[in-house]
Amino acid sequence: MSGLLALLDDVAALAKVAAASVDDIAGQAAKTTAKVAGGVIDDALKAGTKAAGAVIDDAAVTPKYTMGFSAERELPIVGRIAWGSIRNKMLILLPAALLLSTFAPWAIAPLLMLGGGYLCFEGAEKILHWLVPHDEAHGPKGEPKDPAHLEESRVAGAIKTDFILSAEIMTIALSAIPDSGFWTEAMTLALVAVGITALVYGSVALIVKADDIGLAMAEKGRLGLTRSIGRGIVRGMPGFMKLLTIVGTGAMLWVGGSIIVHGLEVLGFGALGHGIHDIAHAVAHSVPENWTGFVAWTVTALLDGILGLVLGIVLVPIATKVIAPVIGLFTGQKAQH
């Protein structure tokens, strides 16, 4: 995910270089417009990269909502969830982020740390579930049996889950945007919202239809190679889904931990961040010079992830035994995760 977004960032940089060659012809007005647009795209790509952990989690979580439906309903369900995600981001979260940036910028770091804590909780809970499996179903008990009502229930649940993940993404993106004008921030956040939604749900659509595509290739392919690839896709999808879940869990812990470290530094508690920095660079200086940057980044990410796991383990009983029952008192329902 980070590599893809970094590649897009390079493409945006090349686009700005190309735009510069047209500036002499287009005049100063076009030059200014190109710079603003290029800056917005650049900021959006960097902000989207910072939100990689939540993005991967979103892509890993969503396919389960199409389970149990006919193949003809899979893409429409993904499309409905994607449209709900766009509404969440554009109509609620984007205006809220702009208001926050304008009137309460001091609250961004604490809210970001709250989202980071949620990512740590999510990652740690998944790991604990793998280590100590339980019989609790992933979906709500007593789901309607009628396909139409079941679809409505699943889509509504997916959009609610997406709202939480989208709030994390938009808050992370807002914190990554350099100080700029109101409209530049608005355009950047809008581009992040649309781009990440298209990326996540486009990927989800490919994932949920991959087995059908592979089966069609295996059965109807004219070439032996085509049929072999189709069979490989069908056999490989269960393993791929497991790998996606593992990568998503690791990314959540890494991003969540790094958000907590950065938030503490912003609030004036930089000892933890400085300690991680010193350890990473001490390890990096023990390897050949060509590898120092990669090793420093890897060690930093690993330590951030370990911090995220420890914090998440601490948060699991707090969230499940205290916060969830309190929420249940107000909603009148037993909270389920």
Side-chain angles (χ1 to χ4, degrees):
M1 183 67 67
S2 296
L4 173 61
L5 293 172
L7 175 62
L8 293 176
D9 193 41
D10 290 339
V11 173
L14 291 173
K16 287 191 285 184
V17 172
S21 67
V22 184
D23 285 343
D24 293 335
I25 301 173
Q28 187 62 32
K31 182 177 180 179
T32 303
T33 302
K35 284 185 176 180
V36 172
V40 167
I41 294 173
D42 193 42
D43 290 344
L45 290 170
K46 291 177 180 178
T49 303
K50 293 284 184 87
V55 169
I56 296 174
D57 182 40
D58 211 350
V61 167
T62 306
K64 73 176 184 180
Y65 291 101
T66 64
M67 294 176 60
F69 292 99
S70 63
E72 293 77 13
R73 292 306 306 160
E74 288 177 343
L75 290 183
I77 289 173
V78 173
R80 292 182 63 188
I81 299 172
W83 180 240
S85 178
I86 283 288
R87 292 201 310 269
N88 284 342
K89 293 183 180 76
M90 300 296 288
L91 300 182
I92 301 175
L93 296 172
L94 191 151
L98 293 174
L99 289 173
L100 189 67
S101 177
T102 302
F103 297 106
W106 53 267
I108 294 177
L111 287 175
L112 197 58
M113 293 178 70
L114 185 64
Y118 180 79
L119 287 174
C120 295
F121 160 74
E122 281 275 325
E125 193 197 40
K126 287 183 179 181
I127 291 177
L128 291 176
H129 178 72
W130 293 337
L131 296 176
V132 186
H134 52 75
D135 296 330
E136 183 180 358
H138 289 287
K141 294 181 180 180
E143 279 189 329
K145 301 298 183 181
D146 177 66
H149 288 86
L150 177 60
E151 180 175 326
E152 292 297 327
S153 175
R154 289 276 185 90
V155 169
I159 292 175
K160 289 179 182 178
T161 300
D162 176 90
F163 184 87
I164 298 173
L165 297 172
S166 294
E168 296 169 8
I169 290 169
M170 297 297 279
T171 306
I172 294 170
L174 179 64
S175 70
I177 300 174
D179 292 335
S180 55
F182 176 86
W183 291 111
T184 300
E185 287 189 355
M187 288 187 291
T188 301
L189 286 174
L191 191 56
V192 168
V194 174
I196 284 183
T197 302
L199 178 63
V200 168
Y201 289 99
S203 301
V204 169
L206 288 175
I207 290 171
V208 299
K209 298 304 293 183
D211 52 351
D212 294 333
I213 295 172
L215 185 61
M217 292 173 63
E219 293 180 346
K220 302 178 181 179
R222 294 184 179 181
L223 302 177
L225 178 61
T226 304
R227 294 191 294 272
S228 297
I229 293 174
R231 290 191 294 269
I233 292 174
V234 173
R235 287 195 297 264
M237 279 310 297
F240 174 78
M241 290 301 298
K242 291 180 180 179
L243 177 62
L244 181 63
T245 301
I246 293 171
V247 171
T249 301
M252 282 190 291
L253 294 173
W254 158 51
V255 174
S258 66
I259 288 173
I260 297 299
V261 172
H262 177 71
L264 289 173
E265 291 177 344
V266 171
L267 297 177
F269 304 95
L272 182 60
H274 294 318
I276 291 175
H277 178 272
D278 292 342
I279 293 173
H281 281 267
V283 175
H285 283 98
S286 66
V287 301
E289 186 175 351
N290 292 339
W291 291 89
T292 55
F294 173 77
V295 171
W297 182 90
T298 302
V299 174
T300 300
L302 178 62
L303 293 176
D304 287 342
I306 292 173
L307 171 67
L309 177 60
V310 172
L311 178 60
I313 292 174
V314 173
L315 290 175
V316 166
I318 298 175
T320 56
K321 304 299 183 183
V322 178
I323 298 177
V326 171
I327 293 175
L329 291 177
F330 287 97
T331 61
Q333 298 178 354
K334 183 179 179 180
Q336 295 184 13
H337 184 73

